[in-house]
Amino acid sequence: MTEMTALRAHHRGGPEVLTVERAPMPVPAAGEVLVAVHAAAITFDELSWEETWTRDGASRTPTIVSHEVSGVVADIASGITDFQVGDEVYGLIGFERDGAAADFVAVPAADLAAKPSTVTHTVAAALPLAGLTALQALVDHAAVRPGESVLVHGGAGGVGGLTVQLAAIRGADVTATVRSDAVDLVRGFGAQRVIDVRAEAFEDAGATFDVVVDTVGGDTLDRSFAVLRPGGRLVTLSAPPPAGKADEYGISATFFIVIPDRGQLTELASMVDSGRLHVEIAATFPLDRGREAFESGRRPGHRAGKTVIVVRE
């Protein structure tokens, strides 16, 4: 087999540039495995990322989208001792690489881990980016400790929902904001308080927090400095915080981009398999409706959770 079906874009743009077409089969290089994709979760913003379109300043189109994968090892290259053909795996694919909205994808073995055994490939595919982002925000960057108060903006989103759960698992006192009717859902994730910002401004609650994790950005980020107590930690995922503002408020402010991490993927899988961590699915689409999957993010009333492209049942 030299060709496969893939969701590709030949030039920069939004969902309208995506086409389901035949593409060359990837060949795993040394240290990589070839994964037969069963499911690929999407991030609606990835079509706006520079890494989607260029590498080292040069165009890398045509590009295959979707960087969260769950599937089965179909082939292994030299130097691989930790996976075998037939293993079920999941992981986060580097954003500068072709993604998983295709029959097959080549992935560095170090960026994969054993798939959670108690859930489907569809659910497993929705975990890597959001789960790693949430875990790295809370553990690596905010160092959240039991008993601390944590505010999570966008608690019904793919990243926000897992951040709420993981903060609660770590023993934090969690408050979350939503802009939807998902109050009960997010409370079920472990938030002790959920603020619907359509009806109430989060700063009007009068609370101060040890940590804020911001998945929203913009005005929400700007207003979050004032609700942190001195020495508090702000972690933002949308854009770097305004220069000098953290010093003005006597806090620390961090922006980061998630990175693949096998150890953390294994930790997340264990929490899913033990029933402590729930992955919410907003919608699923077959590969031949991949463009529609990306377009669904523009629709009003988008459900909580991740949207997943199902490649193989």
Side-chain angles (χ1 to χ4, degrees):
M1 185 188 303
T2 60
E3 286 191 330
M4 64 176 183
T5 301
L7 180 65
R8 296 204 296 180
H10 289 262
H11 58 88
R12 190 185 295 250
E16 70 281 353
V17 305
L18 297 173
T19 303
V20 177
E21 60 188 15
R22 300 300 287 174
M25 274 275 294
V27 177
E32 297 180 354
V33 302
L34 183 69
V35 178
V37 179
H38 282 242
I42 68 174
T43 301
F44 296 118
D45 288 344
E46 72 178 86
L47 295 177
S48 67
W49 297 344
E50 189 62 32
E51 295 90 343
T52 299
W53 307 106
T54 64
R55 182 187 294 115
D56 298 327
S59 173
R60 67 178 194 88
T61 55
T63 182
I64 299 174
V65 294
S66 185
H67 288 77
E68 296 172 272
V69 64
S70 184
V72 176
V73 175
D75 194 11
I76 57 177
S78 61
I80 302 298
T81 59
D82 38 6
F83 292 117
Q84 298 180 345
V85 172
D87 287 349
E88 292 189 328
V89 295
Y90 87 122
L92 176 65
I93 302 166
F95 304 129
E96 77 289 351
R97 300 176 62 95
D98 275 340
D103 290 328
F104 296 90
V105 62
V107 188
D111 296 347
L112 296 170
K115 168 190 163 290
S117 61
T118 60
V119 296
T120 64
H121 285 287
T122 297
V123 173
L127 178 59
L129 188 147
L132 287 173
T133 301
L135 199 57
Q136 290 170 18
L138 292 168
V139 177
D140 298 345
H141 298 286
V144 171
R145 297 181 293 272
E148 290 194 307
S149 58
V150 177
L151 172 63
V152 179
H153 289 307
V159 175
L162 289 177
T163 304
V164 169
Q165 292 181 70
L166 289 169
I169 288 170
R170 292 185 67 80
D173 178 351
V174 185
T175 298
T177 65
V178 298
R179 188 182 292 275
S180 67
D181 296 325
V183 170
D184 290 340
L185 175 70
V186 177
R187 192 173 286 122
F189 287 161
Q192 297 187 356
R193 180 163 188 214
V194 182
I195 300 170
D196 184 345
V197 295
R198 298 174 302 180
E200 179 186 2
F202 64 85
E203 59 266 53
D204 288 350
T208 55
F209 300 92
D210 297 299
V211 174
V212 173
V213 179
D214 170 41
T215 74
V216 177
D219 180 61
T220 297
L221 169 60
D222 290 340
R223 290 156 48 210
S224 293
F225 288 84
V227 299
L228 279 159
R229 59 175 50 98
R233 291 96 73 199
L234 170 63
V235 180
T236 179
L237 311 178
S238 57
K245 196 162 185 177
D247 290 340
E248 178 185 342
Y249 281 88
I251 65 165
S252 65
T254 304
F255 166 76
F256 78 99
I257 297 174
V258 63
I259 57 173
D261 185 299
R262 178 187 289 177
Q264 290 180 332
L265 285 168
T266 300
E267 182 180 354
L268 290 165
S270 176
M271 285 189 276
V272 169
D273 285 339
S274 67
R276 290 181 295 159
L277 191 64
H278 171 74
V279 182
E280 190 76 12
I281 304 296
T284 62
F285 293 83
L287 180 59
D288 61 8
R289 292 171 57 201
R291 179 193 294 183
E292 185 180 345
F294 274 85
E295 289 172 340
S296 69
R298 296 175 170 177
R299 297 173 189 161
H302 182 71
R303 286 186 55 197
K306 294 282 289 189
T307 296
V308 180
I309 295 174
V310 179
V311 178
R312 291 174 174 84
E313 293 294 343

